[in-house]
Amino acid sequence: MKQFLLIALCATSISAVAPATVEAAAIKRACLASDRSAATRARCNCIQQVANQALTNSDQKTVAKWFSDPHQAQELKMSQTARDDALWDRYQNFGQMAQAVCS
């Protein structure tokens, strides 16, 4: 679970073209700030690129918070609201894509 969160949360964006993508770099910043050895600049950039394709900016802000408080992810996973279920499904898809592309 920790490796999955690392991959999903280490996503980064190098794009400074549009404000939305700059704001979405929250996952990259969270990834780089993590104390994990696998959180390299290249890997965090790759994961952010995947996040830009798989997650909304709002999703990315939420997921980035999970780096410092992984319990929030568990709470969302256990939630029974349709909105939280949909975010968890997008997050799982994102994590699988990031693992496949960025490993």
Side-chain angles (χ1 to χ4, degrees):
M1 176 81 170
K2 287 182 183 179
Q3 181 181 9
F4 182 73
L5 284 175
L6 171 64
I7 290 171
L9 298 176
C10 287
T12 56
S13 174
I14 347 176
S15 176
V17 176
T21 56
V22 171
E23 187 174 302
I27 291 180
K28 176 183 181 180
R29 288 189 302 271
C31 176
L32 292 172
S34 72
D35 61 351
R36 296 181 177 125
S37 61
T40 64
R41 183 167 297 280
R43 181 167 287 155
C44 291
N45 282 332
C46 179
I47 294 170
Q48 181 65 56
Q49 291 174 357
V50 174
N52 290 343
Q53 295 175 10
L55 300 172
T56 67
N57 288 343
S58 177
D59 290 348
Q60 291 182 42
K61 285 186 207 177
T62 300
V63 170
K65 293 175 185 175
W66 297 347
F67 271 102
S68 60
D69 188 3
H71 183 68
Q72 287 182 21
Q74 184 64 27
E75 286 181 9
L76 183 123
K77 181 181 178 183
M78 300 309 293
S79 171
Q80 295 183 5
T81 69
R83 180 179 174 200
D84 288 348
D85 287 346
L87 172 55
W88 188 256
D89 290 344
R90 290 189 304 274
Y91 173 71
Q92 286 187 305
N93 181 53
F94 156 68
Q96 291 170 354
M97 288 172 42
Q99 190 168 22
V101 173
C102 303
S103 293

